[in-house]
């Protein structure tokens, strides 16, 4: 029987390389094939010196050629080990045309007011003159529609360049997309990670966001599937971590910061926000009661060498404003408005610094006049 190289290659394509997830031809492990009558010599290069992997590769090659090409072929396998230099895993998202900066707002644990902070950052940015959107990525507890008084709204389908896209719901100058728009108020979202990630991808890439200076991503609590999906799908400009001053919340916030700073993720942390910093009763506006501890998040920011963006007091009107769907930052001349102004200015300032210190291909600089005034106004 006349042996042909193409038949040998076809047989070797049925063998996978351990740890590669590819067949040995596709992975480049097969360096050379020589045929001398009924003799076949296969030169193989493997990345691991493990004896059992080398033996398994040799046995698999013999079996594939004997079964698929010629059972009486005399096969010799030469194996060379070349340890490949490990590449750093990079998580780089696909940019969305028209969106300049994508900010992830996260917390290590639930109940620290992350969604409240996101909503108020968004309306403050809008008041400063920026074009803003919120992606409510908290699939299992979407609260953004309630906070913006748009629970009953449903996104419309619009045609953009011949493609059907979702038009975000808009209120108070902020564009919003949330899974809450597609479920009933009393309906639980019981999805596994892959389905939740797919829903998020649709809200990200099948949406007509238009031109945005900032897209704020309200992440769910913790460090899990959704966080990784977001960071793999989107080129995150930076992250803001929200915490309360108490030690239990700070421990989780520290983990949240560590997640973004992992070598494989490497998302710059723009800063930490301390929510529920102190309680001030309406009838005693000068009094401050440190219910959950004092300056815990501020001290954590110093320890981790990230910017402390500011603190938000625990006042009744903050809770009421969220319940009625009108973010507290819209209240003119109040301590809450001032608190969110300071936090937002600091966040914009950190975003500008971050973008100036990276190559132009990594992020788009803020060039609007509103951005300049937001940074310079102290």
């Amino acid at each position: 029987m006349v042996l042909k190289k193409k038949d040998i290659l076809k047989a070797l394509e049925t063998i996978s390389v351990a740890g590669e997830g590819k067949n040995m031809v596709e992975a480049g492990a097969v360096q050379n094939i020589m045929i001398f009558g009924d003799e076949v010599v296969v030169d193989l290069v493997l990345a691991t010196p493990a004896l059992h992997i080398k033996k398994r590769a040799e046995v698999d090659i013999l079996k594939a050629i004997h079964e698929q090409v010629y059972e009486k072929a005399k096969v010799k396998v030469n194996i060379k080990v070349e340890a490949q230099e490990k590449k750093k895993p990079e998580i780089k998202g696909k940019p969305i045309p028209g969106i300049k900066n994508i900010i992830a707002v996260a917390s290590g644990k639930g109940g620290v007011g992350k969604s409240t902070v996101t909503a108020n950052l968004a309306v403050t940015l809008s008041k400063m003159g920026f074009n803003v959107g919120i992606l409510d990525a908290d699939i299992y507890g979407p609260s953004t529609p309630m906070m913006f008084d748009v629970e009953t709204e449903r996104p419309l389908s619009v045609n953009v360049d011949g493609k059907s896209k979702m038009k975000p719901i808009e209120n108070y100058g902020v564009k919003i997309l949330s899974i809450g728009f597609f479920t009933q108020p009393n309906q639980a979202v019981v999805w596994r990670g892959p389905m939740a990630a797919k829903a998020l991808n649709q809200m990200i890439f099948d949406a007509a966001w238009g031109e945005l200076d900032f897209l704020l991503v309200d992440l769910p609590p913790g460090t899990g599937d959704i966080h990784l999906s977001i960071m793999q799908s989107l080129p995150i400009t930076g992250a803001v971590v929200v915490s309360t001053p108490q030690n239990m919340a700070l421990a989780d916030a520290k983990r949240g910061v560590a997640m973004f700073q992992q070598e494989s993720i490497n998302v710059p942390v723009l800063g930490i926000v301390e929510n529920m910093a102190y309680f001030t009763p309406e009838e005693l506006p000068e009094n401050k009661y440190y219910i959950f501890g004092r300056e815990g998040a501020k001290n954590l920011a110093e320890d981790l060498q990230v910017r402390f963006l500011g603190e938000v007091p625990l006042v009744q009107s903050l809770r009421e404003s969220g319940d009625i769907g009108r973010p507290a930052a819209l209240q003119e001349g109040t301590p809450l408005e001032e608190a969110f102004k300071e936090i937002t200015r600091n966040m914009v300032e950190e975003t500008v610094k971050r973008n100036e210190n990276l190559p132009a291909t990594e992020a788009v600089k803020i060039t609007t006049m509103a951005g300049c005034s937001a940074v310079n106004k102290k």
Side-chain angles (χ1 to χ4, degrees), residues 239-242 257 268-273 301 306-309 350:
V240 170
V241 176
V242 180
V257 172
V269 177
L270 303 177
I272 296 177
V273 175
V306 298
R307 177 84 176 261
F308 179 63
L309 299 177
E350 287 301 306

Side-chain angles (χ1 to χ4, degrees), residues 85-371:
E85 198 176 313
K86 284 190 177 179
K87 293 181 181 178
K88 289 183 183 177
E90 292 183 357
I91 296 183
K92 286 195 180 291
K94 186 168 127 189
I96 305 175
I99 298 180
K100 295 179 182 177
N101 297 283
I102 302 173
I103 311 294
V105 184
S107 66
K109 68 192 273 64
V112 298
K114 167 187 52 62
S115 295
T116 299
V117 169
T118 304
N120 284 283
L121 281 174
V123 296
T124 305
L125 284 167
S126 179
K127 285 166 68 177
M128 287 177 170
F130 291 108
N131 295 320
V132 191
I134 292 180
L135 172 65
D136 187 356
D138 196 345
I139 292 289
Y140 306 108
S143 53
T144 304
M146 178 185 285
M147 291 186 170
F148 281 81
D149 193 26
V150 288
E151 287 177 282
T152 59
E153 300 288 335
R154 295 292 178 267
L156 298 173
S157 177
V158 294
N159 190 293
V160 179
D161 298 329
K163 294 180 181 178
S164 181
K165 300 273 187 179
M166 284 182 283
K167 184 181 180 183
I169 302 300
E170 189 167 348
N171 202 13
Y172 310 127
V174 178
K175 295 178 180 178
I176 307 155
L177 272 183
S178 167
I179 200 68
F181 292 136
F182 307 98
T183 59
Q184 298 301 317
N186 59 348
Q187 181 183 348
V189 179
V190 188
W191 290 346
R192 291 190 185 274
M195 192 162 179
K198 186 178 179 182
L200 272 176
N201 271 339
Q202 283 188 304
M203 288 197 292
I204 294 166
F205 297 111
D206 293 343
W209 288 106
E211 297 290 325
L212 293 181
D213 295 304
F214 287 93
L215 176 64
L216 303 184
V217 182
D218 183 12
L219 290 172
T223 54
D225 263 1
I226 300 297
H227 305 75
L228 291 175
S229 295
I230 285 289
M231 286 180 282
Q232 286 175 329
S233 300
L234 291 172
I236 303 291
T237 307
V240 170
V241 176
V242 180
S243 179
T244 59
Q246 69 187 108
N247 289 338
M248 192 178 296
L250 293 170
D252 289 329
K254 192 172 184 178
R255 293 185 190 99
V257 172
M259 174 187 71
F260 290 113
Q261 291 179 337
Q262 277 190 94
E263 196 174 353
S264 59
I265 293 175
N266 198 26
V267 171
V269 177
L270 303 177
I272 296 177
V273 175
E274 183 170 277
N275 194 25
M276 308 180 203
Y278 53 85
F279 170 63
T280 296
E282 192 175 351
E283 62 276 11
L284 298 168
E286 300 303 317
N287 289 25
K288 293 182 180 179
Y289 300 95
Y290 297 91
I291 297 172
F292 299 112
R294 186 166 185 171
E295 297 185 343
K298 184 177 183 180
N299 294 331
L300 177 65
E302 289 175 4
D303 290 344
L304 299 177
Q305 296 182 330
V306 298
R307 177 84 176 261
F308 179 63
L309 299 177
E311 59 185 20
V312 182
L314 177 61
V315 295
Q316 187 172 325
S317 63
L318 183 58
R319 189 271 304 165
E320 291 172 342
S321 64
D323 286 350
I324 64 170
R326 185 175 169 80
L330 294 169
Q331 302 167 10
E332 299 288 341
T334 64
L336 284 173
E337 186 201 27
E338 287 305 313
F340 283 113
K341 262 185 176 176
E342 180 189 0
I343 292 167
T344 307
R345 280 198 300 266
N346 291 338
M347 185 192 77
V348 172
E349 189 176 77
E350 287 301 306
T351 305
V352 172
K353 285 181 188 175
R354 184 265 187 213
N355 289 345
E356 285 176 347
N357 292 327
L358 286 175
T361 52
E362 293 290 334
V364 179
K365 295 181 181 180
I366 299 172
T367 55
T368 64
M369 290 302 292

